[in-house]
Amino acid sequence: MRRPTPDPVGPGQESVWDYPRPPRLERVRARVTIEFAAVTIVDTDDVVRVLETSHPPVYYLPASAFVPGALVPAAGSSFCEFKGAAEYFDVVRGAAVDQRAAWGYPDPSPGYEELVGRVAVYAGGMDRCTVDGEVVVPQPGGFYGGWVTSNLAGPFKGVPGSMGW
């Protein structure tokens, strides 16, 4: 499949088509919050994002920044050709559970060591996820975990027909 035509980049935007492959880690000055079951389960400015061609950034937050009990180890794993083996977590608050809604890399591949002790969360099952106060939109398609904000230009992998990008 041919690479799609990138969307025009507006003032203050970055194109996901300028992101590298293999992906790059980047510490950012941003405040990230996640609300689940009507409670803020994380509020941190200790943020690392992963940037990969055609994907909105995936935000990795310290597992220790989540309220106690919010992350419960879940069954299963997956493998990223770049970052290595991922483990999964259910996001839990009281009786509310979003299964396998978060993941991390306990022993990542070389070059991704900064992900140790960090967790990313699928925005789709949360009440609200924000980056510097802006409510994010989940990456299209439900498979990938990127967060779309207004400073991004796509198109984004995950839309129908993007499997071969």
Side-chain angles (χ1 to χ4, degrees):
M1 174 175 267
R2 223 169 31 143
R3 175 183 159 151
T5 301
D7 293 340
V9 177
Q13 286 190 313
E14 54 191 43
S15 174
V16 298
W17 292 94
D18 291 335
Y19 294 164
R21 189 165 171 88
R24 176 179 82 231
L25 298 180
E26 177 181 89
R27 274 201 170 271
V28 291
R29 290 182 177 265
R31 179 176 172 219
V32 170
T33 66
I34 299 174
E35 296 172 19
F36 180 68
V39 173
T40 299
I41 61 169
V42 67
D43 183 343
T44 185
D45 62 1
D46 184 357
V47 180
V48 172
R49 67 181 191 162
V50 173
L51 308 176
E52 181 175 358
T53 305
S54 77
H55 294 263
V58 176
Y59 290 83
Y60 286 83
L61 315 172
S64 61
F66 285 76
V67 298
L71 298 174
V72 175
S77 64
S78 64
F79 186 81
C80 169
E81 65 184 302
F82 302 113
K83 297 180 286 296
E87 62 183 3
Y88 286 84
F89 301 90
D90 294 340
V91 174
V92 177
R93 190 67 190 158
V97 177
D98 191 2
Q99 296 181 332
R100 292 175 51 96
W103 71 98
Y105 294 90
D107 186 24
S109 300
Y112 297 93
E113 295 88 355
E114 197 167 0
L115 296 179
V116 171
R118 293 182 174 277
V119 175
V121 175
Y122 288 105
M126 302 298 107
D127 295 346
R128 188 169 107 129
C129 300
T130 68
V131 176
D132 283 338
E134 180 182 352
V135 177
V136 307
V137 175
Q139 183 171 0
F143 180 76
Y144 301 105
W147 292 7
V148 179
T149 53
S150 62
N151 69 325
L152 300 175
F156 308 111
K157 185 165 179 124
V159 297
S162 66
M163 197 54 132
W165 292 357

